[in-house]
Amino acid sequence: MEAPTGRTRLAAVIGSPVGHSLSPVLHNAAFAAADLDWVYVALEVADGRAADALTGMRALGLGGLSVTTPHKEAVAAGCDRLSDDAAALGAVNCVVPDGGELVGHN
């Protein structure tokens, strides 16, 4: 994996706790295998701060966001649009940008 640059795309998992997550190891290995200039990190987001995390996703231009406890329902409420599955469940485990919208999936 090369060092990140100003062109490197960022994706993350949010949760609390999230420090134990293996997602960064798995996703960064996949990005490297696919020769993508992406980095995936785990971000600790306190309970009740999911809306702030979505604001941060928009402001920073994150390429994707994985969502774990305790944020799945709050993130669903904060997305611009939900997939049919996410809407039926009222929960989101993945957010992707689509144009100017954040779309929640499950």
Side-chain angles (χ1 to χ4, degrees):
M1 171 193 245
E2 293 187 32
T5 69
R7 291 179 303 280
T8 302
R9 295 293 311 270
L10 179 64
V13 58
I14 62 167
S16 184
V18 75
H20 65 282
S21 177
L22 295 177
S23 290
V25 172
L26 298 172
H27 283 84
N28 285 318
F31 293 156
D35 198 30
L36 296 173
D37 187 12
W38 282 67
V39 172
Y40 189 97
V41 297
L43 300 173
E44 184 77 22
V45 175
D47 194 8
R49 304 296 303 262
D52 294 334
L54 292 176
T55 298
M57 181 180 183
R58 288 180 200 278
L60 297 171
L62 269 65
L65 194 65
S66 300
V67 182
T68 191
T69 58
H71 304 303
K72 293 176 182 269
E73 292 82 11
V75 167
C79 286
D80 300 310
R81 189 165 34 104
L82 299 176
S83 68
D84 291 342
D85 290 343
L89 293 168
V92 162
N93 63 12
C94 180
V95 181
V96 294
D98 183 15
E101 294 185 313
L102 296 182
V103 183
H105 298 271
N106 196 317

Coordinates of all heavy atoms in Angstrom, one line a residue:
M1 N 0.8 -1.2 0.0 CA 0.0 0.0 0.0 C 0.9 1.2 0.0 O 1.8 1.4 0.8 CB -0.9 0.0 1.2 CG -1.7 1.3 1.4 SD -2.4 1.4 3.1 CE -4.1 1.3 2.6
E2 N 0.6 2.1 -0.9 CA 1.4 3.4 -1.0 C 0.8 4.4 0.1 O -0.3 4.2 0.5 CB 1.3 4.0 -2.4 CG 2.0 3.1 -3.4 CD 2.0 3.8 -4.7 OE1 2.1 5.1 -4.8 OE2 2.0 3.1 -5.7
A3 N 1.6 5.3 0.4 CA 1.2 6.4 1.4 C 0.0 7.1 0.8 O 0.0 7.4 -0.4 CB 2.3 7.3 1.7
P4 N -1.0 7.5 1.6 CA -2.1 8.3 1.1 C -1.6 9.7 0.6 O -0.6 10.2 1.1 CB -3.0 8.5 2.4 CG -2.6 7.4 3.3 CD -1.1 7.1 3.0
T5 N -2.4 10.2 -0.3 CA -2.1 11.5 -0.9 C -3.3 12.3 -0.9 O -4.4 11.9 -0.3 CB -1.7 11.4 -2.4 OG1 -2.8 10.9 -3.2 CG2 -0.5 10.4 -2.6
G6 N -3.3 13.5 -1.4 CA -4.5 14.3 -1.5 C -5.6 13.8 -2.4 O -6.7 14.3 -2.4
R7 N -5.2 12.8 -3.2 CA -6.2 12.1 -4.1 C -6.8 10.9 -3.5 O -7.7 10.3 -4.0 CB -5.6 11.8 -5.4 CG -5.2 13.0 -6.3 CD -4.6 12.7 -7.6 NE -3.3 11.9 -7.4 CZ -2.1 12.3 -7.1 NH1 -2.0 13.6 -6.9 NH2 -1.1 11.6 -7.0
T8 N -6.3 10.4 -2.4 CA -6.7 9.2 -1.7 C -8.2 9.3 -1.2 O -8.5 10.3 -0.6 CB -5.8 8.8 -0.5 OG1 -4.5 8.7 -1.0 CG2 -6.3 7.5 0.1
R9 N -9.0 8.4 -1.6 CA -10.4 8.4 -1.1 C -10.5 7.7 0.3 O -9.7 6.8 0.6 CB -11.3 7.6 -2.0 CG -11.5 8.2 -3.4 CD -12.2 9.5 -3.5 NE -13.5 9.6 -2.8 CZ -14.7 9.3 -3.3 NH1 -14.8 8.8 -4.5 NH2 -15.8 9.4 -2.6
L10 N -11.3 8.2 1.1 CA -11.5 7.8 2.5 C -12.8 7.1 2.7 O -13.9 7.7 2.3 CB -11.3 8.9 3.5 CG -11.4 8.6 5.0 CD1 -10.3 7.6 5.4 CD2 -11.4 9.9 5.8
A11 N -12.9 6.0 3.3 CA -14.1 5.3 3.8 C -13.9 4.9 5.2 O -12.7 4.8 5.7 CB -14.4 4.1 2.9
A12 N -14.9 4.7 6.0 CA -14.8 4.4 7.4 C -15.9 3.6 7.9 O -17.0 3.5 7.3 CB -14.7 5.7 8.2
V13 N -15.7 3.0 9.1 CA -16.7 2.4 9.9 C -16.9 3.3 11.1 O -15.9 3.7 11.7 CB -16.4 0.9 10.3 CG1 -15.1 0.8 11.1 CG2 -17.6 0.3 11.1
I14 N -18.2 3.5 11.5 CA -18.5 4.3 12.7 C -19.2 3.3 13.7 O -20.0 2.5 13.3 CB -19.3 5.5 12.5 CG1 -20.7 5.2 11.9 CG2 -18.5 6.5 11.6 CD1 -21.7 6.4 11.9
G15 N -18.9 3.6 15.0 CA -19.6 2.8 16.0 C -19.1 3.2 17.4 O -18.2 4.1 17.5
S16 N -19.6 2.6 18.4 CA -19.1 2.8 19.8 C -19.5 1.6 20.6 O -20.7 1.4 20.9 CB -19.7 4.1 20.3 OG -19.2 4.3 21.6
P17 N -18.5 0.8 21.0 CA -17.1 0.9 20.6 C -16.8 0.4 19.2 O -17.6 -0.4 18.7 CB -16.4 0.0 21.7 CG -17.4 -1.1 21.9 CD -18.8 -0.4 21.8
V18 N -15.7 0.8 18.6 CA -15.3 0.4 17.3 C -13.9 0.1 17.1 O -13.4 -0.5 16.1 CB -15.7 1.5 16.2 CG1 -14.8 2.7 16.3 CG2 -15.9 0.9 14.9
G19 N -13.1 0.3 18.2 CA -11.6 0.0 18.1 C -11.3 -1.4 17.8 O -10.2 -1.7 17.3
H20 N -12.1 -2.3 18.2 CA -11.9 -3.8 18.0 C -12.2 -4.2 16.5 O -11.8 -5.3 16.2 CB -12.7 -4.6 18.9 CG -14.2 -4.4 18.6 ND1 -14.9 -3.3 19.0 CD2 -15.1 -5.2 17.9 CE1 -16.2 -3.5 18.6 NE2 -16.3 -4.6 17.9
S21 N -12.8 -3.4 15.7 CA -13.2 -3.8 14.4 C -12.1 -4.2 13.5 O -11.0 -3.6 13.4 CB -13.9 -2.6 13.7 OG -14.3 -2.9 12.4
L22 N -12.3 -5.3 12.8 CA -11.4 -5.8 11.8 C -11.7 -5.2 10.4 O -10.9 -5.5 9.5 CB -11.5 -7.4 11.7 CG -11.0 -8.1 13.0 CD1 -11.2 -9.6 12.8 CD2 -9.6 -7.8 13.3
S23 N -12.7 -4.4 10.3 CA -13.1 -3.8 9.0 C -11.9 -3.1 8.3 O -11.7 -3.2 7.1 CB -14.3 -2.9 9.1 OG -15.4 -3.7 9.4
P24 N -11.1 -2.3 9.0 CA -10.0 -1.6 8.4 C -9.0 -2.5 7.8 O -8.6 -2.3 6.6 CB -9.4 -0.7 9.5 CG -10.5 -0.4 10.4 CD -11.3 -1.7 10.4
V25 N -8.7 -3.6 8.5 CA -7.7 -4.6 7.9 C -8.3 -5.2 6.7 O -7.6 -5.3 5.6 CB -7.4 -5.6 9.0 CG1 -6.6 -6.8 8.4 CG2 -6.7 -5.0 10.2
L26 N -9.5 -5.7 6.7 CA -10.2 -6.3 5.6 C -10.3 -5.4 4.4 O -10.0 -5.8 3.2 CB -11.5 -6.9 6.0 CG -11.5 -8.0 7.1 CD1 -12.9 -8.3 7.6 CD2 -10.7 -9.2 6.6
H27 N -10.9 -4.2 4.6 CA -11.1 -3.3 3.5 C -9.8 -2.8 2.9 O -9.7 -2.7 1.7 CB -12.0 -2.1 4.0 CG -13.4 -2.5 4.1 ND1 -13.9 -3.0 5.2 CD2 -14.4 -2.3 3.2 CE1 -15.2 -3.2 5.1 NE2 -15.6 -2.8 3.9
N28 N -8.8 -2.5 3.7 CA -7.5 -2.0 3.2 C -6.8 -3.1 2.4 O -6.2 -2.8 1.3 CB -6.6 -1.4 4.3 CG -7.1 -0.1 4.7 OD1 -7.5 0.8 3.9 ND2 -7.1 0.1 6.0
A29 N -7.0 -4.3 2.8 CA -6.4 -5.4 2.0 C -7.1 -5.5 0.6 O -6.5 -5.7 -0.4 CB -6.5 -6.7 2.7
A30 N -8.4 -5.4 0.6 CA -9.2 -5.4 -0.6 C -8.9 -4.2 -1.5 O -8.7 -4.4 -2.7 CB -10.7 -5.4 -0.3
F31 N -8.7 -3.1 -0.9 CA -8.4 -1.9 -1.7 C -7.0 -2.1 -2.4 O -6.8 -1.8 -3.6 CB -8.4 -0.6 -0.9 CG -9.7 -0.2 -0.4 CD1 -9.8 0.6 0.8 CD2 -10.9 -0.5 -1.0 CE1 -11.0 1.1 1.2 CE2 -12.1 0.0 -0.6 CZ -12.2 0.7 0.6
A32 N -6.1 -2.6 -1.6 CA -4.7 -2.9 -2.2 C -4.8 -3.9 -3.3 O -4.1 -3.7 -4.3 CB -3.8 -3.3 -1.0
A33 N -5.5 -5.0 -3.1 CA -5.6 -6.0 -4.1 C -6.2 -5.5 -5.3 O -5.9 -6.0 -6.4 CB -6.4 -7.2 -3.5
A34 N -7.1 -4.6 -5.2 CA -7.8 -4.0 -6.4 C -7.0 -2.8 -7.0 O -7.5 -2.2 -7.9 CB -9.2 -3.6 -6.1
D35 N -5.9 -2.5 -6.4 CA -5.1 -1.4 -6.8 C -5.9 0.0 -6.7 O -5.8 0.8 -7.6 CB -4.5 -1.6 -8.1 CG -3.3 -0.7 -8.4 OD1 -2.6 -0.3 -7.4 OD2 -3.1 -0.3 -9.6
L36 N -6.7 0.1 -5.7 CA -7.4 1.4 -5.5 C -6.7 2.3 -4.5 O -6.1 1.8 -3.5 CB -8.8 1.0 -5.0 CG -9.7 0.2 -5.9 CD1 -11.0 -0.2 -5.1 CD2 -10.0 1.0 -7.1
D37 N -6.8 3.6 -4.8 CA -6.2 4.6 -3.9 C -7.2 5.0 -2.9 O -7.8 6.1 -2.9 CB -5.7 5.8 -4.8 CG -4.9 6.8 -4.0 OD1 -4.5 6.5 -2.8 OD2 -4.7 7.9 -4.5
W38 N -7.5 4.1 -2.0 CA -8.5 4.3 -0.9 C -7.9 3.9 0.4 O -7.0 3.0 0.4 CB -9.7 3.4 -1.2 CG -10.7 3.8 -2.2 CD1 -10.5 3.9 -3.5 CD2 -12.0 4.3 -2.0 NE1 -11.6 4.4 -4.2 CE2 -12.6 4.6 -3.2 CE3 -12.8 4.4 -0.8 CZ2 -13.9 5.0 -3.4 CZ3 -14.1 4.8 -1.0 CH2 -14.7 5.1 -2.2
V39 N -8.4 4.5 1.5 CA -8.0 4.1 2.8 C -9.3 4.0 3.7 O -10.2 4.8 3.5 CB -7.1 5.1 3.5 CG1 -6.8 4.8 5.0 CG2 -5.7 5.2 2.8
Y40 N -9.3 2.9 4.5 CA -10.5 2.7 5.3 C -10.1 2.7 6.8 O -9.1 2.1 7.2 CB -11.0 1.3 5.0 CG -12.3 0.9 5.6 CD1 -13.5 1.0 4.9 CD2 -12.4 0.4 6.9 CE1 -14.7 0.7 5.4 CE2 -13.6 0.1 7.5 CZ -14.8 0.2 6.7 OH -16.0 -0.2 7.3
V41 N -10.8 3.5 7.6 CA -10.5 3.7 9.0 C -11.7 3.4 9.9 O -12.8 3.4 9.4 CB -9.9 5.1 9.3 CG1 -8.6 5.3 8.5 CG2 -10.9 6.2 9.0
A42 N -11.4 3.2 11.2 CA -12.5 3.0 12.2 C -12.6 4.4 12.9 O -11.5 4.9 13.4 CB -12.2 1.9 13.1
L43 N -13.8 4.9 13.1 CA -14.0 6.2 13.8 C -14.9 5.9 14.9 O -16.1 5.5 14.7 CB -14.5 7.2 12.8 CG -13.7 7.5 11.6 CD1 -14.5 8.5 10.7 CD2 -12.4 8.2 12.0
E44 N -14.5 6.2 16.1 CA -15.3 6.2 17.3 C -16.3 7.3 17.3 O -15.9 8.5 17.2 CB -14.4 6.3 18.6 CG -15.2 6.1 19.9 CD -15.6 4.7 20.2 OE1 -14.9 3.7 19.6 OE2 -16.5 4.5 21.0
V45 N -17.6 7.0 17.3 CA -18.6 8.1 17.3 C -19.5 7.7 18.4 O -20.2 6.7 18.5 CB -19.4 8.1 15.9 CG1 -20.6 9.1 16.0 CG2 -18.5 8.4 14.8
A46 N -19.6 8.7 19.4 CA -20.4 8.4 20.6 C -21.9 8.3 20.3 O -22.4 8.9 19.3 CB -20.2 9.6 21.6
D47 N -22.5 7.5 21.1 CA -24.0 7.4 21.0 C -24.6 8.7 21.0 O -24.3 9.6 21.8 CB -24.5 6.5 22.2 CG -25.9 6.0 22.0 OD1 -26.5 6.2 20.9 OD2 -26.5 5.5 22.9
G48 N -25.6 8.9 20.1 CA -26.3 10.2 20.0 C -25.6 11.2 19.0 O -26.1 12.3 18.7
R49 N -24.5 10.8 18.4 CA -23.7 11.7 17.5 C -23.8 11.2 16.0 O -23.0 11.7 15.2 CB -22.3 11.8 17.9 CG -22.1 12.3 19.3 CD -22.5 13.7 19.6 NE -22.0 14.7 18.8 CZ -21.0 15.5 19.1 NH1 -20.4 15.4 20.3 NH2 -20.6 16.5 18.3
A50 N -24.7 10.3 15.7 CA -24.7 9.7 14.3 C -25.0 10.8 13.3 O -24.4 10.8 12.2 CB -25.8 8.6 14.2
A51 N -25.9 11.8 13.6 CA -26.2 12.9 12.7 C -25.0 13.7 12.4 O -24.7 14.1 11.2 CB -27.3 13.7 13.2
D52 N -24.2 13.9 13.4 CA -22.9 14.6 13.2 C -22.0 13.9 12.3 O -21.2 14.5 11.5 CB -22.2 14.9 14.6 CG -23.0 15.8 15.5 OD1 -23.8 16.6 15.0 OD2 -22.8 15.7 16.7
A53 N -21.9 12.6 12.5 CA -21.1 11.7 11.6 C -21.5 11.9 10.1 O -20.7 11.9 9.2 CB -21.1 10.3 12.0
L54 N -22.8 11.9 9.9 CA -23.3 12.1 8.5 C -22.9 13.5 8.0 O -22.5 13.6 6.8 CB -24.8 11.8 8.4 CG -25.2 10.4 8.6 CD1 -26.8 10.3 8.6 CD2 -24.6 9.5 7.6
T55 N -23.0 14.5 8.8 CA -22.6 15.8 8.4 C -21.1 15.8 8.1 O -20.7 16.4 7.1 CB -22.9 16.8 9.5 OG1 -24.3 16.9 9.8 CG2 -22.3 18.2 9.2
G56 N -20.3 15.1 8.9 CA -18.9 15.0 8.6 C -18.6 14.2 7.3 O -17.7 14.6 6.5
M57 N -19.4 13.2 7.0 CA -19.2 12.4 5.8 C -19.4 13.4 4.6 O -18.7 13.3 3.6 CB -20.2 11.3 5.8 CG -20.1 10.4 4.5 SD -21.3 9.1 4.5 CE -20.8 8.3 3.0
R58 N -20.5 14.2 4.7 CA -20.7 15.1 3.6 C -19.6 16.1 3.4 O -19.1 16.4 2.3 CB -22.0 15.9 3.8 CG -23.3 15.1 3.7 CD -24.5 16.1 4.0 NE -25.7 15.4 4.3 CZ -26.5 14.9 3.4 NH1 -26.2 15.0 2.1 NH2 -27.6 14.2 3.8
A59 N -19.2 16.7 4.6 CA -18.2 17.8 4.5 C -16.8 17.3 4.1 O -16.1 18.0 3.4 CB -18.0 18.4 5.9
L60 N -16.5 16.1 4.4 CA -15.2 15.5 4.1 C -15.2 14.7 2.8 O -14.1 14.4 2.3 CB -14.7 14.6 5.2 CG -14.5 15.3 6.5 CD1 -14.2 14.3 7.7 CD2 -13.3 16.4 6.4
G61 N -16.3 14.5 2.2 CA -16.4 13.8 1.0 C -16.0 12.3 1.1 O -15.5 11.7 0.2
L62 N -16.4 11.7 2.2 CA -16.1 10.3 2.4 C -16.7 9.5 1.3 O -17.9 9.7 0.9 CB -16.6 9.7 3.7 CG -15.6 9.8 4.9 CD1 -15.2 11.2 5.2 CD2 -16.1 9.1 6.1
G63 N -16.0 8.4 0.8 CA -16.5 7.6 -0.3 C -17.5 6.6 0.2 O -18.2 6.0 -0.6
G64 N -17.6 6.3 1.5 CA -18.5 5.3 2.0 C -18.4 5.2 3.5 O -17.4 5.6 4.1
L65 N -19.4 4.7 4.1 CA -19.5 4.6 5.6 C -20.2 3.3 6.0 O -21.3 3.1 5.5 CB -20.2 5.8 6.1 CG -20.1 6.1 7.6 CD1 -18.7 6.5 8.0 CD2 -21.1 7.3 8.0
S66 N -19.5 2.5 6.7 CA -20.1 1.4 7.3 C -20.6 1.8 8.7 O -20.0 2.6 9.4 CB -19.1 0.2 7.5 OG -18.5 -0.2 6.2
V67 N -21.7 1.2 9.1 CA -22.3 1.6 10.4 C -22.6 0.4 11.3 O -23.1 -0.6 10.8 CB -23.7 2.3 10.1 CG1 -24.3 2.8 11.4 CG2 -23.5 3.4 9.1
T68 N -22.1 0.5 12.5 CA -22.4 -0.5 13.5 C -23.0 0.1 14.7 O -23.4 1.3 14.7 CB -21.1 -1.3 13.8 OG1 -21.4 -2.5 14.5 CG2 -20.0 -0.5 14.5
T69 N -23.2 -0.7 15.7 CA -23.9 -0.3 16.9 C -23.2 0.9 17.6 O -22.0 1.0 17.5 CB -24.1 -1.4 18.0 OG1 -22.8 -1.9 18.3 CG2 -24.9 -2.5 17.4
P70 N -23.9 1.8 18.1 CA -25.4 1.9 18.3 C -26.1 2.8 17.3 O -27.2 3.3 17.5 CB -25.5 2.6 19.7 CG -24.3 3.5 19.7 CD -23.2 2.9 18.9
H71 N -25.5 2.9 16.1 CA -26.0 4.0 15.2 C -26.9 3.6 14.0 O -27.3 4.5 13.2 CB -24.7 4.7 14.6 CG -23.8 5.2 15.6 ND1 -24.2 6.1 16.5 CD2 -22.5 5.0 15.8 CE1 -23.2 6.4 17.3 NE2 -22.1 5.8 16.9
K72 N -27.2 2.3 13.9 CA -27.9 1.9 12.7 C -29.3 2.6 12.4 O -29.6 3.0 11.3 CB -28.1 0.4 12.7 CG -26.8 -0.4 12.6 CD -27.0 -1.9 12.7 CE -25.7 -2.6 12.6 NZ -25.3 -3.0 11.3
E73 N -30.0 2.7 13.5 CA -31.4 3.4 13.3 C -31.2 4.9 13.1 O -31.9 5.5 12.3 CB -32.3 3.1 14.5 CG -32.7 1.6 14.6 CD -31.6 0.7 15.3 OE1 -30.6 1.2 15.9 OE2 -31.8 -0.5 15.1
A74 N -30.3 5.5 13.9 CA -30.2 7.0 13.8 C -29.6 7.4 12.4 O -30.0 8.4 11.8 CB -29.2 7.5 14.9
V75 N -28.7 6.6 11.9 CA -28.2 6.8 10.5 C -29.3 6.7 9.5 O -29.4 7.5 8.6 CB -27.0 6.0 10.2 CG1 -26.6 6.0 8.8 CG2 -25.8 6.4 11.1
A76 N -30.1 5.7 9.7 CA -31.3 5.5 8.7 C -32.1 6.7 8.7 O -32.5 7.2 7.6 CB -32.1 4.3 9.1
A77 N -32.4 7.3 9.9 CA -33.2 8.5 10.0 C -32.5 9.7 9.3 O -33.2 10.7 8.9 CB -33.5 8.8 11.4
G78 N -31.2 9.7 9.3 CA -30.4 10.9 8.8 C -30.1 10.8 7.3 O -29.6 11.8 6.8
C79 N -30.3 9.7 6.7 CA -29.9 9.6 5.2 C -31.0 10.3 4.4 O -32.1 10.4 4.8 CB -29.9 8.1 4.8 SG -28.4 7.2 5.4
D80 N -30.5 10.7 3.2 CA -31.5 11.4 2.3 C -32.4 10.4 1.6 O -33.5 10.7 1.3 CB -30.7 12.1 1.2 CG -29.7 13.1 1.7 OD1 -30.2 14.0 2.5 OD2 -28.5 13.1 1.4
R81 N -31.9 9.2 1.5 CA -32.7 8.2 0.8 C -32.3 6.8 1.3 O -31.1 6.6 1.7 CB -32.4 8.3 -0.7 CG -33.3 7.4 -1.6 CD -33.2 7.9 -3.1 NE -31.9 8.3 -3.6 CZ -31.0 7.6 -4.3 NH1 -31.3 6.4 -4.7 NH2 -29.9 8.2 -4.7
L82 N -33.2 5.8 1.4 CA -32.9 4.5 1.8 C -33.2 3.5 0.7 O -34.2 3.6 0.0 CB -33.7 4.2 3.1 CG -33.5 5.0 4.3 CD1 -34.5 4.6 5.4 CD2 -32.1 4.9 4.8
S83 N -32.4 2.4 0.7 CA -32.8 1.3 -0.2 C -34.1 0.7 0.4 O -34.5 0.9 1.6 CB -31.7 0.2 -0.2 OG -31.6 -0.4 1.1
D84 N -34.7 -0.2 -0.4 CA -36.0 -0.8 0.1 C -35.7 -1.6 1.3 O -36.5 -1.6 2.3 CB -36.6 -1.7 -1.0 CG -37.1 -0.9 -2.2 OD1 -37.3 0.3 -2.0 OD2 -37.3 -1.5 -3.3
D85 N -34.6 -2.4 1.4 CA -34.3 -3.2 2.6 C -34.1 -2.3 3.8 O -34.6 -2.7 4.9 CB -33.1 -4.1 2.3 CG -33.3 -5.2 1.3 OD1 -34.5 -5.5 1.0 OD2 -32.3 -5.7 0.8
A86 N -33.3 -1.3 3.6 CA -33.0 -0.4 4.8 C -34.3 0.3 5.3 O -34.5 0.4 6.5 CB -32.0 0.6 4.4
A87 N -35.2 0.7 4.4 CA -36.4 1.3 4.8 C -37.3 0.3 5.5 O -37.9 0.7 6.5 CB -37.2 1.8 3.5
A88 N -37.4 -0.9 5.0 CA -38.2 -2.0 5.7 C -37.7 -2.3 7.1 O -38.5 -2.5 8.0 CB -38.2 -3.2 4.8
L89 N -36.4 -2.3 7.2 CA -35.8 -2.6 8.5 C -35.7 -1.4 9.5 O -35.5 -1.6 10.7 CB -34.4 -3.2 8.3 CG -34.4 -4.6 7.6 CD1 -32.9 -4.9 7.3 CD2 -34.9 -5.6 8.6
G90 N -35.7 -0.2 8.9 CA -35.5 1.0 9.7 C -34.1 1.1 10.2 O -33.8 1.7 11.3
A91 N -33.1 0.5 9.5 CA -31.7 0.4 10.0 C -30.8 0.4 8.8 O -31.2 -0.1 7.7 CB -31.5 -0.8 10.8
V92 N -29.6 1.0 8.9 CA -28.6 1.1 7.9 C -27.3 0.6 8.4 O -26.9 0.8 9.5 CB -28.5 2.6 7.5 CG1 -27.2 2.8 6.7 CG2 -29.7 3.1 6.7
N93 N -26.6 -0.2 7.5 CA -25.3 -0.6 7.9 C -24.2 -0.2 6.8 O -23.1 -0.5 7.0 CB -25.2 -2.1 8.1 CG -25.5 -3.0 6.9 OD1 -25.6 -2.5 5.8 ND2 -25.7 -4.3 7.1
C94 N -24.7 0.6 5.8 CA -23.8 1.1 4.8 C -24.4 2.4 4.2 O -25.6 2.4 3.9 CB -23.6 0.0 3.7 SG -22.5 0.5 2.4
V95 N -23.6 3.4 4.1 CA -24.0 4.6 3.5 C -23.1 5.0 2.3 O -21.8 4.9 2.5 CB -24.0 5.8 4.5 CG1 -24.5 7.1 3.8 CG2 -24.8 5.5 5.7
V96 N -23.7 5.3 1.2 CA -22.8 5.6 0.0 C -23.3 7.0 -0.5 O -24.5 7.2 -0.5 CB -22.9 4.6 -1.1 CG1 -22.2 3.3 -0.6 CG2 -24.3 4.3 -1.5
P97 N -22.4 7.8 -1.0 CA -22.8 9.1 -1.6 C -23.3 8.8 -3.0 O -22.8 7.9 -3.7 CB -21.6 9.9 -1.6 CG -20.4 8.9 -1.6 CD -21.0 7.7 -0.9
D98 N -24.4 9.5 -3.4 CA -24.9 9.4 -4.8 C -25.3 10.8 -5.2 O -26.3 11.3 -4.8 CB -26.1 8.4 -4.8 CG -26.6 8.2 -6.2 OD1 -25.9 8.5 -7.2 OD2 -27.8 7.7 -6.4
G99 N -24.4 11.4 -6.0 CA -24.6 12.8 -6.3 C -24.5 13.6 -5.0 O -23.6 13.5 -4.3
G100 N -25.5 14.4 -4.7 CA -25.5 15.2 -3.5 C -26.2 14.5 -2.3 O -26.4 15.1 -1.3
E101 N -26.7 13.2 -2.5 CA -27.4 12.5 -1.5 C -26.6 11.4 -0.8 O -25.7 10.9 -1.4 CB -28.7 11.9 -2.1 CG -29.7 12.8 -2.6 CD -30.9 12.1 -3.1 OE1 -30.8 11.0 -3.8 OE2 -32.0 12.5 -2.7
L102 N -27.0 11.2 0.4 CA -26.4 10.0 1.2 C -27.5 8.9 1.1 O -28.6 9.2 1.6 CB -26.0 10.4 2.6 CG -24.9 11.4 2.7 CD1 -24.6 11.7 4.2 CD2 -23.7 11.0 2.0
V103 N -27.1 7.8 0.6 CA -28.1 6.7 0.5 C -27.7 5.6 1.4 O -26.6 5.1 1.4 CB -28.1 6.1 -1.0 CG1 -29.1 5.0 -1.1 CG2 -28.3 7.3 -2.0
G104 N -28.7 5.2 2.3 CA -28.5 4.1 3.3 C -28.9 2.8 2.7 O -30.0 2.7 2.1
H105 N -28.1 1.8 3.0 CA -28.4 0.4 2.6 C -28.3 -0.5 3.8 O -27.7 -0.2 4.8 CB -27.4 -0.1 1.5 CG -27.4 0.7 0.3 ND1 -28.2 0.4 -0.8 CD2 -26.7 1.9 -0.1 CE1 -28.0 1.3 -1.7 NE2 -27.1 2.2 -1.3
N106 N -28.9 -1.7 3.7 CA -28.8 -2.7 4.7 C -28.8 -4.1 3.9 O -29.6 -4.3 3.1 CB -29.9 -2.7 5.7 CG -29.5 -3.5 6.9 OD1 -29.0 -4.6 6.8 ND2 -29.8 -2.9 8.1

